[in-house]
Amino acid sequence: MVRRLGLVAGLLAGLILPGFFQPAAAEPPRRVLSMNLCTDQLAMMLAAPGQLVSVSYLAQDPSASAMAAEAGRLPVNHGLAEEIFLMRPDLVLAGAWSTPETIRLLDRLNIPVEVFPIETDIAGIRANIRRMGAVLGREAQARAMLARFDADLARLSDAQGPRPRAALYAANGYSSGSDSLAGEIVALAGFDNVADELGLPSGGVLPLETLLLSDPDLLVEGRRYAGHARAQEVLDHPALKALARGRPAEVMSDPDWVCGNPHILRAVSQLRDARLALQARP
C-alpha cells in the first residue's frame, strides 16, 4: 500500500511541470485611488471605466494638471490617510514625493500602495507607463500607449545640424539641466542646455548676470502666477526683459512640463517650432 501511494505521488509530481499548472492570475484592483498629480494622469489614461475612484485635488487644477477637465469628473482626495481609508480603495497610487507618514499609515491599515519614481527621461516615462499598465491589469492598453508615444516622439525628433542653445529660467532664478524632465524636453526639441555648460546638469540657481553673459539663443521663462511672490520678481527684472526682447522667448506651460507622460510632447513640439524658426533666420 505504501509503495502504491509512493508511486501515485511520484506520478503526480512528474505531471507538475513548469507551465502544466498555471496559478490563477491576480484580479486587477477594482477601486484604485491616486494621491499624486503624476500618477493621477497616468491612471486616468490607462484605467478601465470605473476603476479609478479618486485623484488628488491637484489633478483638477488647470495651472498644474494637463488633464484637469478629465479629473473634474472624479472625486478628489488630499492625500490624508483618514480620508483615503474611508474611500475603501484596494490599491493606492503614490509618488516619490508623497507624504511618507500617509504611506506608513496605509501600510499599517493593510492598504496596498504602489510608489512610482519621478520620471526624468524617456526611459523613466516608458517604465512608469508599463508599470501603471501592470498594476492596473491594463498591460495591452499600456503597450498601445507606448506605441503611440514612440511614434509621436519619432516625428518630433528631427534635429539636424548645429544645435541652438536654450536657457531655462524660472522663479528664484532656478534653471534645469539635462538631468531633469525639463532638461529632457529641451534636449528632445533639439537644443543644447546652457545650464549644462555652467555646471548645473541637475539644476540650480542661475545668477541673472551669468544668464546674461551666457547669451542663449532661446530663453524659456517660467510661468508667472497671480500674486506678489518675491520669488517671481527676478522674472520682471529689466535686464531679463531686455534679453527677451533681443531674441526669441517661450514661457513654460507647467501642465505639459511637470509630469513625465505623453503630454510632454506638446512642450517638445512648442520648443521644436521655436528651433525651426531660429534655424530659418538669415
Side-chain angles (χ1 to χ4, degrees):
M1 182 68 176
V2 173
R3 291 180 61 188
R4 185 179 301 172
L5 288 174
L7 178 62
V8 172
L11 289 172
L12 288 175
L15 290 175
I16 304 176
L17 300 172
F20 189 88
F21 287 117
Q22 293 291 344
E27 286 289 326
R30 297 182 180 181
R31 294 183 57 81
V32 178
L33 178 148
S34 172
M35 56 181 285
N36 170 268
L37 174 63
C38 296
T39 56
D40 291 338
Q41 295 178 68
L42 272 184
M44 283 189 283
M45 292 178 195
L46 287 172
Q51 187 179 27
L52 185 62
V53 298
S54 178
V55 292
S56 77
Y57 71 99
L58 289 173
Q60 295 185 352
D61 181 356
S63 68
S65 172
M67 300 181 69
E70 294 87 340
R73 297 190 284 269
L74 290 165
V76 300
N77 68 81
H78 296 79
L80 302 176
E82 298 87 345
E83 64 174 344
I84 292 173
F85 176 76
L86 292 174
M87 289 182 176
R88 299 180 294 105
D90 50 17
L91 176 66
V92 172
L93 307 174
W97 288 346
S98 296
T99 309
E101 290 79 8
T102 296
I103 294 174
R104 282 195 292 268
L105 280 171
L106 293 174
D107 182 62
R108 291 175 61 184
L109 293 168
N110 295 318
I111 298 175
V113 179
E114 286 282 341
V115 180
F116 282 69
I118 299 166
E119 311 93 341
T120 60
D121 54 22
I122 294 300
I125 294 172
R126 299 185 89 257
N128 274 357
I129 290 173
R130 286 193 297 268
R131 183 178 178 188
M132 185 64 75
V135 301
L136 296 180
R138 304 279 285 174
E139 291 90 345
Q141 289 76 10
R143 288 193 295 270
M145 178 187 289
L146 280 172
R148 291 191 301 271
F149 178 64
D150 289 342
D152 291 342
L153 181 59
R155 283 193 288 270
L156 293 173
S157 301
D158 61 352
Q160 297 178 358
R163 294 167 67 91
R165 297 163 59 252
L168 295 163
Y169 206 65
N172 280 325
Y174 191 86
S175 187
S176 298
S178 58
D179 295 341
S180 66
L181 182 60
E184 180 78 352
I185 290 170
V186 169
L188 290 170
F191 286 91
D192 287 335
N193 196 325
V194 166
D196 293 342
E197 299 173 12
L198 299 174
L200 296 171
S202 298
V205 175
L206 181 60
L208 180 57
E209 298 85 351
T210 305
L211 172 65
L212 298 174
L213 290 171
S214 70
D215 193 28
D217 297 306
L218 177 73
L219 178 64
V220 185
E221 296 183 62
R223 180 176 177 177
R224 292 164 177 78
Y225 290 90
H228 303 284
R230 294 186 63 185
Q232 297 185 150
E233 290 180 358
V234 68
L235 299 177
D236 294 317
H237 195 285
L240 187 64
K241 290 183 176 181
L243 179 68
R245 281 197 299 270
R247 70 206 63 233
E250 298 285 340
V251 176
M252 283 183 272
S253 175
D254 287 353
D256 296 334
W257 290 72
V258 170
C259 293
N261 61 50
H263 292 296
I264 70 159
L265 296 182
R266 294 193 297 218
V268 174
S269 179
Q270 180 184 4
L271 289 190
R272 174 183 175 272
D273 290 345
R275 173 178 56 80
L276 293 176
L278 271 171
Q279 294 174 331
R281 286 183 166 189

